[in-house]
Amino acid sequence: MSPAEAVTEGRIRSYEDFARVHAYLLAAAGVPPSLHERLYRKLADEVFDGGEVFAVEPCEGGRQRRLVLAAEGTLGRESDVFLVDHAWSFRLPDALKQLREVPGLAERMAALMCVDLDRRIETEDSDEQDGERSGSLEHVLQIVEKERASIEERGSDSAAWLELEELGIDDDMLVALDLSTKFPNMVALNLWGNKLQDAEKVMQEIRKCPKLKALWLNENPALGKGIDKAVLDGLSDLEIYNSHFTSKAGEWALSFCADIVGADNPCSSVESKMLESIVTIDLSDRCIHKLPEAFSPDKFPSLSKLNIRGNPLDQISGEDLLKLISGFTQLQELEVDIPGPLGNSAMSILESLPNVSLLNGVNSLSIIESGKHIVDSALQPRLPEWSPQESLAERVIGAMWLYLMTYRLADEEKIDETPVWYVMDELGSAMRHSDIANFRIAPFLFMPEGKLATAISYTILWPTHDVHTGEECTRDFLFGIGEEKQRSARLTAWFHTPENFFIQEFRKYKDQLQSNSICSSIKIKETPSTKSIRPSDGRALRVYTDIPHVEEFLTRPEFVLTTDPKEADIIWVSIQVDSEVKNALGLTDQQYTNQFPFEACLVMKHHLAETIQKAWGSPEWLQPTYNLETHLSPLIGDYCTRKRDGTDNLWILKPWNMARTIDTTVTGDLSAIIRLMETGPKICQKYIERPVLFQGRKFDLRYIVLVRSIRPLEIFLSDVFWVRLANNPYTLEKTSFFEYETHFTVMNYIGRMNHMNTPEFVKEFEKEHQVKWLEIHESIRSMIRCVFESAAAVHPEMQSPSSRAIYGVDVMLDNGLKPKILEVTYCPDCGRACKYDTQAVVGDQSTIKGSEFFNTVFGCLFLDEQTHVSPL
């Protein structure tokens, strides 16, 4: 009896009932036993008291929210547990439809994910009002005069630092302001975000300010019109331009990055004593190719914190840079890109800089102990991005991967094939990530009736450390996942991780693949050796099968069906015949089976890709494919490279071993790709974005391959193949990726299949594309041969004299009519081959009766016949 069945009176009525029914769920969630009864009381009474204890605050400029402890005092470790409601639960294919159709859902999710249109409109209205106010010459003159008065108070010879950012200043206004006359000693001018358009007119005014050391013209229309060179040539003392160091950068620019020089302390030069006192310099993202000569241990003897992230530093060798930095004997904290100008390894950097105690915010001892090469504790969060044209629903789809959680439903008999995704309510969704989190959360199914059918889903939340008033409440987004499961790479779903590292990993992986070429260097030429296995006495071969189409259509007199597997000559079943099944059924090694040992190297998607890659490297007929369980880093590098180069970046994720496109997703969202790992092992394969279409629709082709032997390779291609058509016209609109009938072709399980006979399809296809099918067919034959050659070369242990099998091979054509392998299927569904008569489109073009399909298959595999098949 299950725990649920033990509650015979229906509803759970006591804590003891709750603990008994939910014992497994409580253990799986990791809820401390001391909190079990408190959890029960809150679940039973539906107590949502988190609002009395926590507060949600905006952060990251309103583009994110965080959760803080609002209650007075200290919330002790494991002292309480809180219920978090699920604001939205859904199956992934239904997400967009629900957002469009459920009243209020898109609005709530948009607000929760900080992509709500109302907030944007309020900001834009406010900006417009400010713009109307600020875009007048009178308003700008007021600001300028105020600054001039301030300078006169300090002394007329004082240096000026003028902040005129986002004031709507246009070319004529800049001329009218006559800044050079009003501020003859101006050292810095900030004109960021104005309306300057005429590069020549702008330069005319700026040249009148020869003492400028810093100038910001960012986000003005004049940029990109040759003004950059004119600025750099025309201002001989300029050290900072648009936040970047110029080739003249020296002590002044370094002092600015050390917060010694600035709007509150404008000056044209810096005394040595001030440099000697500098402790921290932030040189990040300054486009520095070579550090200024002034940057030396002699001038900055007290420097203890240095940030050089985001700079190419390509005009100085890594060795010379390390030598320079090692001269700063007081340096304890260093921020640098890894990989980057100091090399690819945190370990090697620390070996060269033994005085550094914090590298990228991580304790040096912990780096050495963990052996990490890539470290970073200051990762910037990924924030939702959208365009004003996108609907709220579309914005939510883009942002949701930063917030989603997932679980699968299961009972004692089976696990649900399709995962449930959900968004926690506003309180739960405000919890941000920390590697050293002070809270833990877990999904929990409460079964008040003692049955899964009436379960209510919650997320439960409890403190794992003492938390004090005002302290941020955090959780570990990857709780229980360490580096052995690619933790650092998986954090890319929520944070901007070092792209250079992943790009290098991708290059290494690509080089490794290109060095693989077993099949291209070794051509196996062996004579086929299989013969008919029909007994010499002429008796029929006994066949045991659990496949209805074989039972119905295997009608040849040479074969007879039996219900006793022990007496069968041939075992033709849909289940895997492993040693356990053999023992249970009393089978022997002398009986023929319809599967080969180790055929997983073909029929499991990650093994198929691995097998082909080991054999051929990166053949053009295999789309770039990554096993997410082992090769996430090179995938991220491939994605980043494509994004940088502006090339196709759409991917398809497929479970290792599920059919009928279950849990299969098309996406161009890197966060989605990484998060989808949570629903089971998958491959990520480059989506064929531009397939050849048939009457505007996507299609693929199912071929049947008959295998008599692996070594030597003896395989045949059935003359019977069929086309599978999508129902909807093909499009790459982002919203279409949720439309199964647009991007997928297997329709016989959803009730809307458009069957088309193969000869009719070929005729229409040739007419539409002005091609000869025979040429395409030959390239497909060649590719299929290569696929099975891969298995023979990489896994010769597949060979078994008592194995004969058929495999479904799915093929798609790109818009250059080149074939691409999609997958290989064990024991393929041949219902269409049996149901419809057809005509061979190659060879003798004779009629092929559907009812004869399995007679033909068994004749080829077991009687050495070649009717309606051709050897590959």
Side-chain angles (χ1 to χ4, degrees):
M1 183 187 301
S2 71
E5 290 170 335
V7 185
T8 55
E9 296 182 9
R11 187 173 181 83
I12 289 174
R13 301 184 185 279
S14 67
Y15 167 66
E16 288 71 23
D17 291 343
F18 169 79
R20 186 168 59 252
V21 170
H22 297 83
Y24 175 78
L25 292 169
L26 289 165
V31 184
S34 60
L35 293 176
H36 287 188
E37 187 164 358
R38 190 167 182 80
L39 174 61
Y40 164 64
R41 300 296 172 197
K42 290 193 176 185
L43 286 167
D45 296 334
E46 297 184 357
V47 176
F48 292 90
D49 55 349
E52 302 168 11
V53 180
F54 305 101
V56 176
E57 296 179 346
C59 58
E60 299 293 339
R63 297 177 66 191
Q64 204 177 54
R65 292 190 173 98
R66 66 178 194 148
L67 192 70
V68 296
L69 184 66
E72 293 295 325
T74 300
L75 182 64
R77 173 179 180 269
E78 297 180 1
S79 62
D80 206 345
V81 63
F82 302 92
L83 301 186
V84 175
D85 200 6
H86 292 176
W88 180 31
S89 298
F90 60 94
R91 313 277 182 173
L92 195 54
D94 303 326
L96 185 61
K97 186 172 186 287
Q98 288 187 13
L99 286 166
R100 285 172 167 171
E101 296 180 1
V102 176
L105 178 62
E107 288 76 11
R108 182 180 181 186
M109 290 299 103
L112 183 151
M113 298 176 188
C114 303
V115 296
D116 52 302
L117 184 61
D118 291 341
R119 183 182 65 81
R120 286 181 54 85
I121 289 174
E122 288 168 8
T123 304
E124 288 165 4
D125 288 346
S126 174
D127 288 345
E128 286 172 8
Q129 290 165 9
D130 290 344
E132 289 169 7
R133 223 172 24 247
S134 63
S136 66
L137 179 59
E138 180 183 358
H139 176 68
V140 179
L141 280 171
Q142 288 175 359
I143 295 172
V144 169
E145 289 305 318
K146 184 178 178 182
E147 183 60 28
R148 186 160 69 160
S150 174
I151 290 172
E152 286 180 355
E153 286 178 13
R154 298 198 302 265
S156 58
D157 292 335
S158 298
W161 188 297
L162 205 55
E163 294 282 348
L164 301 177
E165 185 177 353
E166 295 184 338
L167 292 175
I169 299 171
D170 60 21
D171 303 324
D172 293 334
M173 287 171 64
L174 181 64
V175 173
L177 289 172
D178 192 19
L179 298 177
S180 60
T181 303
K182 293 183 175 75
F183 304 98
N185 294 319
M186 184 158 55
V187 294
L189 175 60
N190 184 357
L191 291 166
W192 193 313
N194 281 290
K195 299 177 180 178
L196 303 174
Q197 298 197 50
D198 189 328
E200 192 173 327
K201 194 175 282 189
V202 172
M203 277 309 304
Q204 175 186 313
E205 294 304 306
I206 287 173
R207 280 197 196 96
K208 298 176 184 176
C209 306
K211 296 182 181 179
L212 274 179
K213 289 188 174 292
L215 173 66
W216 289 269
L217 295 175
N218 312 62
E219 298 182 20
N220 277 284
L223 287 184
K225 297 180 180 179
I227 196 171
D228 293 350
K229 186 176 187 305
V231 167
L232 296 173
D233 292 344
L235 297 172
S236 59
D237 291 340
L238 195 68
E239 297 192 24
I240 294 175
Y241 174 55
N242 289 348
S243 302
H244 294 163
F245 274 26
T246 72
S247 59
K248 298 145 191 162
E251 292 179 4
W252 191 92
L254 291 167
S255 299
F256 170 73
C257 294
D259 290 332
I260 297 296
V261 172
D264 295 331
N265 183 33
C267 58
S268 57
S269 61
V270 185
E271 296 178 5
S272 296
K273 283 185 179 179
M274 295 176 71
L275 299 179
E276 290 171 4
S277 67
I278 289 174
V279 174
T280 302
I281 297 182
D282 182 357
L283 300 178
S284 60
D285 301 311
R286 295 289 173 187
C287 199
I288 300 171
H289 294 274
K290 184 179 180 181
L291 287 165
E293 287 184 19
F295 183 71
S296 68
D298 292 337
K299 290 187 181 290
F300 299 90
S302 304
L303 185 65
S304 66
K305 297 180 181 178
L306 174 64
N307 186 345
I308 55 172
R309 289 177 186 266
N311 294 294
L313 289 166
D314 49 6
Q315 293 177 13
I316 181 172
S317 70
E319 185 179 344
D320 288 345
L321 186 57
L322 273 171
K323 185 178 179 182
L324 172 62
I325 293 175
S326 65
F328 294 92
T329 55
Q330 302 300 310
L331 188 66
Q332 296 179 358
E333 300 180 25
L334 176 64
E335 301 263 342
V336 62
D337 295 329
I338 307 176
L342 294 182
N344 301 333
S345 168
M347 298 282 287
S348 63
I349 293 172
L350 290 175
E351 287 172 7
S352 302
L353 303 172
N355 291 338
V356 171
S357 57
L358 277 180
L359 179 60
N360 290 353
V362 181
N363 184 281
S364 300
L365 288 177
S366 69
I367 294 171
I368 294 168
E369 288 171 3
S370 66
K372 281 187 176 181
H373 293 289
I374 308 300
V375 294
D376 203 330
S377 70
L379 298 174
Q380 293 302 306
R382 289 187 184 274
L383 299 173
E385 297 178 356
W386 66 90
S387 68
Q389 294 77 30
E390 286 183 303
S391 67
L392 284 185
E394 290 167 336
R395 294 182 190 187
V396 170
I397 291 296
M400 68 184 186
W401 295 104
L402 303 174
Y403 293 90
L404 290 181
M405 308 279 288
T406 187
Y407 61 82
R408 282 183 193 266
L409 294 172
D411 58 26
E412 294 174 342
E413 295 184 3
K414 68 172 185 175
I415 187 168
D416 196 339
E417 292 176 329
T418 308
V420 175
W421 291 91
Y422 67 94
V423 177
M424 292 184 287
D425 65 17
E426 285 74 4
L427 186 148
S429 290
M431 294 194 80
R432 300 197 299 174
H433 169 79
S434 172
D435 286 337
I436 313 169
N438 50 18
F439 278 81
R440 186 173 163 192
I441 67 168
F444 191 82
L445 288 175
F446 177 46
M447 297 183 283
E449 305 293 338
K451 296 178 292 186
L452 186 63
T454 55
I456 306 168
S457 63
Y458 296 96
T459 290
I460 49 179
L461 163 71
W462 69 94
T464 53
H465 295 84
D466 291 351
V467 186
H468 307 287
T469 304
E471 190 175 343
E472 182 171 1
C473 305
T474 59
R475 66 182 179 92
D476 186 346
F477 286 177
L478 294 171
F479 180 80
I481 295 174
E483 286 306 320
E484 74 284 357
K485 293 184 180 177
Q486 310 178 99
R487 178 183 177 88
S488 292
R490 290 175 72 164
L491 281 172
T492 305
W494 298 278
F495 296 94
H496 292 284
T497 49
E499 288 189 2
N500 286 343
F501 167 75
F502 295 112
I503 289 172
Q504 287 197 18
E505 290 295 295
F506 165 58
R507 287 171 180 163
K508 285 192 286 187
Y509 177 73
K510 194 174 178 182
D511 290 343
Q512 179 189 343
L513 283 185
Q514 288 173 346
S515 67
N516 293 342
S517 55
I518 296 174
C519 286
S520 58
S521 59
I522 302 174
K523 281 292 182 182
I524 302 167
K525 294 287 186 181
E526 294 175 297
T527 305
S529 59
T530 58
K531 294 180 275 188
S532 171
I533 67 165
R534 191 174 184 192
S536 55
D537 61 8
R539 72 173 177 82
L541 290 163
R542 295 182 295 270
V543 178
Y544 173 80
T545 185
D546 63 354
I547 299 172
H549 288 125
V550 178
E551 291 175 340
E552 181 178 357
F553 294 110
L554 183 60
T555 56
R556 294 181 60 152
E558 296 94 334
F559 302 94
V560 61
L561 298 176
T562 177
T563 56
D564 184 357
K566 289 193 289 293
E567 71 170 24
D569 300 297
I570 300 168
I571 306 295
W572 194 278
V573 290
S574 58
I575 60 170
Q576 183 182 358
V577 183
D578 54 20
S579 56
E580 189 177 328
V581 171
K582 279 189 171 183
N583 291 335
L585 297 179
L587 304 181
T588 69
D589 291 338
Q590 282 66 51
Q591 292 171 295
Y592 286 86
T593 58
N594 66 324
Q595 53 200 251
F596 280 82
F598 304 99
E599 66 184 5
C601 73
L602 287 171
V603 300
M604 293 187 73
K605 297 177 187 71
H606 62 307
H607 288 321
L608 173 65
E610 181 184 23
T611 299
I612 293 171
Q613 288 163 347
K614 283 181 177 179
W616 298 100
S618 301
E620 65 174 353
W621 41 267
L622 174 70
Q623 289 289 92
T625 305
Y626 299 89
N627 180 353
L628 289 179
E629 296 297 301
T630 56
H631 290 89
L632 179 59
S633 288
L635 164 67
I636 295 172
D638 192 348
Y639 184 97
C640 292
T641 301
R642 291 172 184 275
K643 185 176 181 181
R644 180 195 66 195
D645 297 343
T647 55
D648 292 346
N649 220 351
L650 201 57
W651 299 80
I652 183 166
L653 288 94
K654 307 174 184 178
W656 283 358
N657 198 27
M658 278 191 179
R660 310 198 312 271
T661 63
I662 293 169
D663 200 15
T664 299
T665 308
V666 177
T667 182
D669 187 321
L670 183 58
S671 294
I673 290 169
I674 298 170
R675 298 296 313 281
L676 284 160
M677 294 173 65
E678 297 169 32
T679 62
K682 292 180 180 64
I683 63 165
C684 184
Q685 191 170 67
K686 186 67 195 64
Y687 192 57
I688 303 170
E689 298 189 27
R690 291 169 181 79
V692 68
L693 303 178
F694 178 69
Q695 297 174 355
R697 291 178 293 163
K698 185 177 175 180
F699 70 90
D700 65 19
L701 303 160
R702 165 60 65 89
Y703 286 84
I704 302 297
V705 177
L706 297 79
V707 183
R708 288 186 192 167
S709 167
I710 292 292
R711 293 291 291 264
L713 188 60
E714 191 177 0
I715 58 177
F716 301 83
L717 189 64
S718 171
D719 289 348
V720 177
F721 69 93
W722 54 94
V723 62
R724 302 184 298 191
L725 292 161
N727 286 338
N728 296 342
Y730 184 69
T731 175
L732 286 175
E733 285 289 327
K734 281 169 65 173
T735 54
S736 75
F737 301 146
F738 290 90
E739 298 170 1
Y740 182 93
E741 294 181 63
T742 299
H743 289 274
F744 299 102
T745 60
V746 181
M747 299 297 161
N748 42 321
Y749 300 100
I750 68 166
R752 277 195 63 207
M753 185 178 74
N754 294 317
H755 171 71
M756 189 173 196
N757 216 331
T758 303
E760 181 187 355
F761 163 77
V762 168
K763 181 180 177 181
E764 292 295 324
F765 186 88
E766 287 183 329
K767 182 179 178 182
E768 180 179 351
H769 294 281
Q770 294 297 297
V771 293
K772 294 293 184 185
W773 184 261
L774 189 58
E775 296 174 6
I776 297 170
H777 183 74
E778 285 305 314
S779 64
I780 293 172
R781 282 174 54 87
S782 176
M783 182 196 73
I784 292 174
R785 170 78 190 188
C786 287
V787 169
F788 284 86
E789 281 181 350
S790 304
V794 178
H795 292 284
E797 65 273 19
M798 270 187 73
Q799 173 55 21
S800 167
S802 58
S803 295
R804 302 280 194 279
I806 64 171
Y807 297 94
V809 178
D810 295 338
V811 178
M812 188 170 286
L813 302 173
D814 66 17
N815 62 355
L817 300 177
K818 301 290 186 184
K820 304 280 187 178
I821 183 73
L822 299 183
E823 64 178 292
V824 177
T825 306
Y826 159 73
C827 197
D829 180 353
C830 294
R832 288 175 71 171
C834 297
K835 183 176 181 180
Y836 299 103
D837 295 345
T838 188
Q839 184 179 15
V841 296
V842 294
D844 62 6
Q845 299 187 344
S846 60
T847 298
I848 305 173
K849 288 189 170 293
S851 59
E852 290 296 312
F853 177 75
F854 274 109
N855 287 335
T856 299
V857 167
F858 274 68
C860 174
L861 292 179
F862 300 106
L863 303 180
D864 198 23
E865 297 176 353
Q866 293 190 24
T867 305
H868 297 315
V869 301
S870 58
L872 287 175

